[in-house]
Amino acid sequence: MLGNPILGENKQNSAGVSSCIAVGKNFNCVITGSLKATYMIDLHCHLLPGIDDGARDLDDALAMARLAVARGTTHIVVTPHIHPGRWENSIDNISVACQQLQSALNEHGIALQLSYAGEVRLSEALQGQVKRNEIPFLGSYDGDKVMLLEFPPS
C-alpha cells in the first residue's frame, strides 16, 4: 500500500460481501447489499487555499470542507492545477499546503482526511517535470504511475 495515493481494486470476502480497497493509509470501503459505502473519497478537488482557481483563502477551504463532510465525504485528494506559466505548483508547495490545511481541519474539528496529487496540464514541460520529480501522482496501477492529466482546449 502507498501512503498518499488513492486507487482502488474490488475484492470479495469469504461471506461474499464486495469491498473496494483504496490504495492509501486506512481507506477501506465496504459495499453492502444496499450499496452504501462506508467512506466517500473525492479524487479531484481544488481545496487548497490560494494556489489555483479553487478556494481563495483558508475560510473558503474550511467552508468547502464542511460542506463535503456534511454530504458524506471522508477523504479528499486535493489536486491543484500544475500548469507552467499559469499555476506554478509542484509536489513541494502542494505537499506543504496539504499539511497546513490538514492541520487547520483538525484544529476546527472537521473530520476530513487529505492527501494530494495534481491536475497536470499537458505541455512541453511535462517530461522534464516528471524527470525532476516535481509531479505528485495519484498513485500507481500495475507498477505504473497514474497522473490526473488536463488537456489544453482544442
Side-chain angles (χ1 to χ4, degrees):
M1 292 271 194
L2 304 172
N4 179 40
I6 300 293
L7 288 176
E9 62 181 77
N10 291 321
K11 292 187 176 182
Q12 199 170 54
N13 68 15
S14 60
V17 176
S18 294
S19 65
C20 80
I21 308 301
V23 177
K25 192 174 181 183
N26 299 322
F27 298 109
N28 297 331
C29 60
V30 176
I31 301 172
T32 65
S34 63
L35 296 178
K36 286 189 174 185
T38 306
Y39 299 102
M40 176 71 73
I41 301 169
D42 182 343
L43 291 176
H44 177 197
C45 186
H46 296 271
L47 189 64
L48 295 179
I51 70 170
D52 70 358
D53 57 355
R56 289 173 297 198
D57 55 29
L58 181 59
D59 288 337
D60 277 354
L62 294 174
M64 291 167 65
R66 285 185 184 103
L67 182 59
V69 170
R71 295 195 173 167
T73 303
T74 56
H75 185 276
I76 288 179
V77 180
V78 293
T79 54
H81 291 285
I82 299 175
H83 181 171
R86 184 160 187 201
W87 306 109
E88 298 292 342
N89 293 310
S90 71
I91 194 168
D92 294 332
N93 75 307
I94 293 170
S95 64
V96 169
C98 184
Q99 291 168 4
Q100 291 171 340
L101 181 55
Q102 184 68 70
S103 293
L105 293 171
N106 296 344
E107 289 171 16
H108 286 86
I110 301 171
L112 186 63
Q113 281 298 132
L114 301 180
S115 60
Y116 60 87
E119 182 179 0
V120 184
R121 181 63 169 261
L122 181 62
S123 71
E124 292 179 8
L126 182 56
Q127 189 174 14
Q129 292 171 301
V130 170
K131 285 182 181 178
R132 292 186 302 274
N133 295 314
E134 296 175 354
I135 301 297
F137 290 88
L138 274 173
S140 63
Y141 181 76
D142 285 342
D144 295 317
K145 293 179 180 177
V146 176
M147 172 189 306
L148 176 59
L149 190 60
E150 177 181 38
F151 292 92
S154 54

